[in-house]
Amino acid sequence: MCAKPFFFCLLRSSNNILCNRFKMDSAEDKFCLREVLVSFKSCLLNDDKDVLVEHYLTGWKGLVRFMNTLGTVFSFVSKDAVTKIQIMENYLKGDNGERYRTLRSMVEYELSGNLVDLTKRSSHPDSGCRTLLRLHRALRWLQLFLEKLRTSSEDSKTSTLCSEAYNDSLANYHPWLIRKTASVAFFALPTRNTFFEVMNVGSPDVVVEMLGEALPYVSKVYDFTQELYVQRNLLDLP
Ligand SMILES: CCCCCCCC/C=C\CCCCCCCC(=O)N[C@@H](COP(=O)(O)O)[C@H](O)/C=C/CCCCCCCCCCCCC
């Protein structure tokens, strides 16, 4: 497939939609980033030594709702995130749902039952451990991006902040075509001020303050997961 026309299409379809959709959706959907980030606080258990899967997924669902207000240009991203959230929700709702209540119990259950493909996707292509690893890598991107937004100046370009965060995290795991598609889509991101408005938190000062309070919880969730995956040698699951 020739990548170029695809990129042009992507941009053309998104540019007009974005300007209108942002204001409309922020008023109608009442997306509030504070509430979403609180999910990452409430998923921490046992003195930050475990994570509740249900609340972790609630956080991601809120983020996807926000991403959907960005228009069709990011639908390839939100579709993938939704697929992975659904895989995890199915485990939670399934017969062994209790084993998936926390990240620690999920890892123990899947590893002890040989339910994880460790070197090649074969009999367990969508294990909980593997699926959560993809979300975990994306959480690193979110952490970096929101921290950059928090410390940025008013005239900073969100596309630059986003692509720097992406290049330092998720891009390392994505093939060329996805990296290129993502880098083109970043140009369709709204300005820093518009971003702050749709977060629906308050003035830019309040947004910055809220991010300063909430991001440490995202970091705790990320750090706990990273440590757990390092200990069990799960960071390279195919
Ligand atoms: C107001 C600021 C708040 C920011 C809110 C951001 C909302 C973010 C919501 C979702 C984030 C993206 C989640 C992406 C999950 C990607 C997981 C992944 O890496 N999947 C790949 C590997 O999966 P397997 O093939 O191994 O199963 C998959 O190939 C990827 C497909 C889609 C492309 C992902 C591109 C990621 C770009 C991330 C930046 C999004 C920019 C949004 C800007 C707000």
Side-chain angles (χ1 to χ4, degrees), residues 101-112:
R101 200 176 80 87
T102 76
L103 288 194
R104 219 179 255 290
S105 63
M106 173 189 82
V107 165
E108 293 313 319
Y109 170 66
E110 288 199 340
L111 285 180
S112 61

Side-chain angles (χ1 to χ4, degrees), residues 5 19 23 64 67 83 113 116 118-119 138 140 147 155 162 196-197 205 227 232:
C19 304
K23 292 208 160 61
V64 168
M67 170 135 3
T83 301
V116 185
L118 296 172
T119 51
R140 176 67 180 155
E147 179 59 15
D155 58 353
C162 189
F196 279 15
E197 271 174 41
D205 285 350
E227 182 59 29
R232 308 312 303 257

Side-chain angles (χ1 to χ4, degrees), residues 33 60 63-64 66-67 70 74 76-77 80-81 84 130 134 138 141-142 145-146 149 162 166 170 174 178 182 186 189 195 199:
L33 192 68
W60 273 110
L63 291 169
V64 168
F66 173 75
M67 170 135 3
L70 300 182
F74 287 102
F76 76 108
V77 182
D80 186 68
K84 287 170 171 55
R130 184 256 182 217
R134 270 53 184 178
W141 160 78
L142 180 79
F145 179 51
L146 291 182
L149 268 181
C162 189
Y166 175 72
L170 272 176
H174 288 164
I178 290 188
F186 294 154
L189 285 172
F195 245 118
M199 285 182 190

Side-chain angles (χ1 to χ4, degrees), residues 125-153:
D126 290 322
S127 65
C129 289
R130 184 256 182 217
T131 304
L132 197 118
L133 176 62
R134 270 53 184 178
L135 294 174
H136 170 64
R137 291 170 178 166
L139 194 67
R140 176 67 180 155
W141 160 78
L142 180 79
Q143 186 192 19
L144 295 177
F145 179 51
L146 291 182
E147 179 59 15
K148 281 174 188 293
L149 268 181
R150 184 181 81 82
T151 53
S152 60
S153 57

